[in-house]
Amino acid sequence: MTVLTPQLLESFADSVRPTAQAVTLPPSVYTDAEFFAFEKDAVFGQEWLCLGRASDVANPGDFVNVDIIGERLTMVHGQDGRIRVLSPVCQHRGMLVSEGSGNCRAFKCAYHHWTYGLDGRLVGAREMGRTEGFDRSRHGLPSLPVELWQGFVFTSLRADPLPLAPRLAKLDALLANFELERCVARNSFSSPSMPWNWKVMFENFNDGYHASRLHAGVHDFCPSDRSEFLPYDDDDAAIARTNGFLHPDGGFNALQRALLPVFPGITEEERSRAAFALVPPTLCIGVAPDQAFYFLIRPVDAGHIAVDVNYLFHPDALRDRLFEEKYELSNAGVNGIVAQDVEATTGVQQGLTSRFAPRGRYSYLEEAQAQFNRWLVRRYTAHWPGADRAPVPTAASAAANKIEVAA
C-alpha cells in the first residue's frame, strides 16, 4: 500500500495557506521511507545542490567527494581553472575512481586503470584496441551543471536546470555588504548522521519563534518578536528573514556581544540584526555582525541527515592578533545554541513518529516555515505519481478553497 495517495496530495493545500490559516505538513512526510524515496527524485533530483565552497578546491588538481542521496559527486578544480562536478563512476565497469579529498593530476580507476582527466575526459584505456567501435571521447565521466554563487558551488542532477542565481537576487541584496565570496571558511562541527529529517533541520534553522524560549539567556539580545520576513514568490529559490537586536553588534555568546571584528562594509542597520536564509534542499546561511555561518545538509534516510556546520570570516578579521582566542570563545557560544537545537530537533523527530503527532498551527513568527511549505508543495505536486495535470497549489488558491484539514 502506497503512502503517495491522492488524499495526501490534496492535504498539502492546507499547509500553503497564509500563515495565520496554515497547518503544518502531515507527519508522514518527515518519517515515511517511501515518501523520502519520492523526495530523492522530486526534490533532490531536480534542484540545485550545494556541495561546498569554491575554496574547498582552491588550487588546480584539488578535489573533494560529496555523497548525497546515494550519489558520489566529485568537485574538482581543473588545470584550466574551471571548477567542475563529475560523477566518479568509471564508465567501464562502474567502480568509483575517486575517494575522499586531495590533489591529483588525473583520476585512475584502480580496477582496470582507465584514466580520466580532471575535466572528465577518458585519456587512457589500455587493451581496448580490439573493441569494435570503441571511441574514448564517448566514455568520459559524466559532467554535471555547475553554478558558483557567493563563493558556494552548486550542481544539479538534472541536465538542464533553471538558472539558480537569478532566483537568489533577494539574497544578493541581503548579503552584499558581507562579501561572502571573499570570506574564509572554517569548519565548526560535522556529523555523518543526526537523527532527524532534513526538513526538520531547515525548519529549525530559520525558526525565530523558538529563539527567545529554547535559547533564553544567550539569545536575549536577539528576541523572537523582532523577526521580519522577506517576501516570497513561488519562483524564488530562497526563504529569508532578519532578526533585530536590542543593541548594535550583538553576538551569539555568553556576553551577547560580537567578539570578533565586525564585517567592515556592513551598515549600521546590519550591525543591529542577524539574517537567516534557506536555499533548499541543501544549504542554510546566516549572518551576524562579526561572522557568517552555513550548514550543508545531506539526507541519509527519512530520519537522518549528515550535516557540516561552518563559519565564514572576512579576511580582515583574521588579521586580529587575538583572532584564535576570540574565535574559541565565540564558537563555544554557538556550540551551546547548537546543542540546544540538537536536543529540540531530536525530540521533534521522535514526536513525529507518534500516532498522536499533530498538524499544528503556526504563530506569526513562523512565516518562514509557511514559505518553506510553499517551496516544498510546489515540487511535490509537480512530480506526484499520476498527477501530471494537477495544478500546483499556491497560497492564494489554498486560501480560496475550503478543504478540511486532512490528517
Side-chain angles (χ1 to χ4, degrees):
M1 182 175 180
T2 181
V3 70
L4 303 174
T5 64
Q7 292 76 22
L8 181 60
L9 176 61
E10 290 173 5
S11 77
F12 295 149
D14 295 300
S15 296
V16 298
R17 297 176 186 273
T19 307
Q21 303 171 18
V23 298
T24 58
L25 291 165
S28 61
V29 308
Y30 299 90
T31 62
D32 186 83
E34 183 191 10
F35 194 86
F36 176 70
F38 162 70
E39 284 186 318
K40 287 170 67 174
D41 178 61
V43 177
F44 290 87
Q46 308 297 325
E47 298 299 317
W48 287 96
L49 311 174
C50 185
L51 299 188
R53 298 279 293 174
S55 58
D56 295 339
V57 286
N59 303 305
D62 285 353
F63 68 92
V64 174
N65 283 291
V66 178
D67 293 329
I68 185 165
I69 63 161
E71 288 287 349
R72 169 74 55 82
L73 301 176
T74 303
M75 182 168 62
V76 58
H77 188 142
Q79 297 295 340
D80 58 1
R82 287 182 56 189
I83 292 177
R84 293 178 174 84
V85 175
L86 306 173
S87 167
V89 176
C90 182
Q91 297 299 288
H92 173 222
R93 295 269 292 278
M95 183 173 179
L96 295 174
V97 303
S98 181
E99 297 284 346
S101 62
N103 184 279
C104 67
R105 299 181 63 180
F107 298 112
K108 183 168 72 173
C109 179
Y111 199 5
H112 299 99
H113 286 200
W114 280 32
T115 304
Y116 302 87
L118 300 182
D119 58 1
R121 290 182 302 115
L122 178 61
V123 296
R126 295 183 178 181
E127 315 299 344
M128 295 298 292
R130 299 182 187 180
T131 301
E132 295 181 8
F134 181 75
D135 180 352
R136 285 193 308 186
S137 68
R138 299 174 59 187
H139 296 273
L141 298 176
S143 183
L144 282 64
V146 173
E147 273 204 37
L148 302 180
W149 175 81
Q150 296 279 357
F152 293 99
V153 179
F154 288 84
T155 191
S156 177
L157 299 175
R158 287 186 57 174
D160 58 346
L162 290 174
L164 177 65
R167 297 182 289 129
L168 295 176
K170 70 183 181 186
L171 292 194
D172 286 325
L174 183 68
L175 303 172
N177 293 331
F178 292 87
E179 302 180 275
L180 295 188
E181 190 169 354
R182 294 184 58 205
C183 285
V184 178
R186 176 177 291 203
N187 178 258
S188 172
F189 170 81
S190 294
S191 173
S193 182
M194 299 299 283
W196 53 79
N197 183 268
W198 70 275
K199 297 182 292 297
V200 170
M201 180 80 259
F202 273 77
E203 290 168 347
N204 180 77
F205 184 90
N206 208 356
D207 175 24
Y209 186 30
H210 78 278
S212 290
R213 297 150 184 91
L214 182 65
H215 306 313
V218 72
H219 217 289
D220 291 352
F221 73 99
C222 185
S224 294
D225 61 7
R226 294 202 174 190
S227 289
E228 295 185 6
F229 302 92
L230 274 65
Y232 177 78
D233 181 87
D234 285 325
D235 292 327
D236 284 349
I239 296 150
R241 71 178 173 93
T242 60
N243 204 130
F245 297 162
L246 297 179
H247 55 75
D249 296 339
F252 297 102
N253 55 71
L255 299 179
Q256 301 183 29
R257 301 278 179 177
L259 296 176
L260 295 159
V262 301
F263 284 85
I266 63 176
T267 65
E268 291 300 315
E269 180 182 7
E270 289 165 336
R271 293 179 70 159
S272 296
R273 73 183 190 195
F276 303 87
L278 309 178
V279 186
T282 52
L283 177 64
C284 304
I285 313 171
V287 293
D290 65 339
Q291 61 189 243
F293 41 93
Y294 66 97
F295 291 17
L296 295 173
I297 313 301
R298 299 182 303 280
V300 176
D301 56 33
H304 296 84
I305 62 168
V307 61
D308 296 313
V309 179
N310 307 275
Y311 293 108
L312 290 171
F313 298 110
H314 193 276
D316 290 351
L318 276 67
R319 299 190 181 101
D320 187 319
R321 288 183 297 175
L322 295 177
F323 175 83
E324 292 298 333
E325 290 79 3
K326 294 176 180 178
Y327 167 78
E328 291 300 327
L329 290 172
S330 178
N331 189 44
V334 173
N335 284 343
I337 293 174
V338 170
Q340 292 173 327
D341 283 332
V342 165
E343 184 175 354
T345 47
T346 300
V348 167
Q349 187 69 28
Q350 290 174 338
L352 287 168
T353 65
S354 169
R355 70 186 64 194
F356 303 112
R359 292 193 69 179
R361 299 297 302 276
Y362 290 114
S363 162
Y364 76 96
L365 294 171
E366 294 173 290
E367 170 68 21
Q369 285 67 42
Q371 291 182 5
F372 185 41
N373 288 349
R374 289 169 60 185
W375 188 93
L376 288 164
V377 170
R378 188 173 181 85
R379 286 145 182 84
Y380 293 162
T381 304
H383 298 281
W384 201 260
D388 294 340
R389 294 180 297 279
V392 178
T394 64
S397 64
N401 69 41
K402 302 299 181 184
I403 298 173
E404 295 294 326
V405 176

